[in-house]
Amino acid sequence: MNRAKSPSPTASMTAFARREAATPWGALTWELRSVNHRYLEIALRLPEELRVLEPRVRELINARLARGKVDGTLRFQAGEAAGALEMNEDQVQRLLVSAGHLRGLYADLSPLRAVDILRWPGVLKAQPLDVDSLGAAAIEALAAALDDLAATRSREGARLQEFMLQRLQAMEQLVVKAKELIPEAVRIFRERLETRLKEIKQQLDPARLEQEIVLFAQKSDVTEEIDRLTAHFAEIRRVFGQAGPAGRRLDFLMQELNREANTLSSKSTDTRLTNVAVELKVLIEQMREQVQNIE
């Protein structure tokens, strides 16, 4: 009955599943709902007859899911067998014998009616509910509902992964564009500096000019940021390819991407590089919102 946790690294935490099961004692219905949550939180509503199942139900859910707020509801609609009454014939015979004896002593006594017999304590008794068998059927239905829930979470996770990989590819293209812009930004700075010096008719000192350009290049060097962004992109792809829950790892990587994009923006002296950083942050935020739904 125990199953491994969902192998999909991008299983969504948002899903719904419903399963019904017919038993000799009545109908069982499981409804499972899950939404995103930092940890695994389970809230259960079970009928009084099956409240004893709660530890086992929690164990099964824990075995299948790693994160998410899970609401589980089990409903039991009792059938005819659950409410069937059984007559104690021995008790009825004793009552009839006693009634006959009384009529022999007191001739004016009213005859004993059937309804009076049925109302007598101990004559009718409800058949006991087979809680063990009913509980086993409920657990079997829960396992099937968890299969459905996990399948839904996996399908939704696949869609989220596709969305995020598209954003990731767009970010990788932006980083390539940024690499191409860096040498051009240094060239433009050199031209502007030379033009400014000519306008103020200041003697060009080649050594000083080179020094200013080197200082500018150092201050605006974003090679480290781009290298780290590239490394984070590779790590995200690696996480997508692994089995097991990955939401927390992806969330951490989104924070790191955002930090590097902010540094890239603050160091940028070229409008085009600034625009690249802004576009990166937009894509990162879009991914971060989706990562919140990943198990």
Side-chain angles (χ1 to χ4, degrees):
M1 188 67 67
N2 286 333
R3 294 172 170 86
K5 291 178 185 275
S6 172
S8 171
T10 52
S12 171
M13 287 186 281
T14 303
F16 171 79
R18 176 187 172 93
R19 275 282 179 152
E20 297 181 356
T23 76
W25 310 276
L28 294 167
T29 303
W30 272 107
E31 286 187 357
L32 301 177
R33 290 179 174 83
S34 70
V35 296
N36 60 319
H37 196 270
R38 189 173 181 182
Y39 305 106
L40 179 62
E41 181 180 315
I42 304 170
L44 298 174
R45 288 178 291 277
L46 305 178
E48 193 62 38
E49 300 92 333
L50 297 173
R51 197 169 295 279
V52 68
L53 294 178
E54 182 166 342
R56 178 61 176 151
V57 170
R58 290 185 178 277
E59 180 185 347
L60 285 174
I61 295 175
N62 268 291
R64 297 298 305 276
L65 307 177
R67 293 176 65 201
K69 185 178 187 301
V70 181
D71 289 319
T73 301
L74 174 61
R75 296 185 178 88
F76 173 54
Q77 182 65 45
E80 292 183 2
L85 296 175
E86 184 178 340
M87 188 172 65
N88 187 338
E89 294 185 6
D90 291 339
Q91 180 75 339
V92 172
Q93 288 298 325
R94 284 192 290 269
L95 280 173
L96 291 174
V97 170
S98 297
H101 180 67
L102 284 172
R103 280 196 300 273
L105 295 174
Y106 307 99
D108 58 343
L109 285 177
S110 300
L112 188 63
R113 298 177 303 168
V115 67
D116 296 325
I117 297 174
L118 293 176
R119 285 176 179 171
W120 195 267
V123 169
L124 290 180
K125 60 180 180 180
Q127 289 186 358
L129 186 67
D130 189 345
V131 176
D132 290 341
S133 298
L134 186 63
I139 292 299
E140 185 177 351
L142 173 62
L146 283 169
D147 284 342
D148 294 343
L149 191 75
T152 301
R153 284 164 65 117
S154 293
R155 287 193 299 270
E156 180 62 22
R159 287 191 287 268
L160 291 175
Q161 177 172 312
E162 183 179 356
F163 173 90
M164 289 187 287
L165 284 174
Q166 290 172 356
R167 281 12 181 220
L168 184 61
Q169 185 176 11
M171 285 192 285
E172 289 169 334
Q173 292 170 353
L174 285 171
V175 166
V176 171
K177 182 178 179 181
K179 286 181 179 179
E180 296 170 351
L181 288 173
I182 293 170
E184 192 173 350
V186 175
R187 180 184 61 77
I188 291 173
F189 173 76
R190 175 192 286 272
E191 292 175 354
R192 287 177 180 171
L193 184 58
E194 289 175 344
T195 300
R196 193 177 303 119
L197 291 173
K198 288 177 182 177
E199 287 175 353
I200 62 176
K201 298 179 180 179
Q202 183 174 332
Q203 183 68 31
L204 288 174
D205 181 354
R208 179 62 185 274
L209 179 62
E210 289 302 320
Q211 185 180 10
E212 290 293 330
I213 293 172
V214 169
L215 287 172
F216 167 79
Q218 290 175 344
K219 289 180 181 179
S220 60
D221 184 18
V222 291
T223 304
E224 268 191 51
E225 287 71 24
I226 287 177
D227 287 345
R228 281 196 288 266
L229 283 169
T230 302
H232 294 328
F233 296 158
E235 176 63 11
I236 291 171
R237 290 188 180 278
R238 187 191 69 81
V239 170
F240 280 146
Q242 283 189 325
R248 290 196 181 98
R249 178 62 178 164
L250 289 172
D251 188 48
F252 169 76
L253 289 168
M254 293 304 107
Q255 296 176 39
E256 293 299 304
L257 288 178
N258 196 56
R259 182 179 294 110
E260 301 304 334
N262 283 332
T263 306
L264 181 64
S265 178
S266 65
K267 284 187 174 183
S268 175
T269 56
D270 185 287
T271 305
R272 292 168 299 175
L273 268 175
T274 302
N275 290 338
V276 166
V278 170
E279 289 181 48
L280 273 173
K281 288 195 283 188
V282 169
L283 292 169
I284 292 166
E285 180 60 23
Q286 290 175 349
M287 282 188 70
R288 191 195 66 80
E289 288 177 2
Q290 298 304 323
V291 163
Q292 304 310 308
N293 293 317
I294 297 296
E295 185 178 29

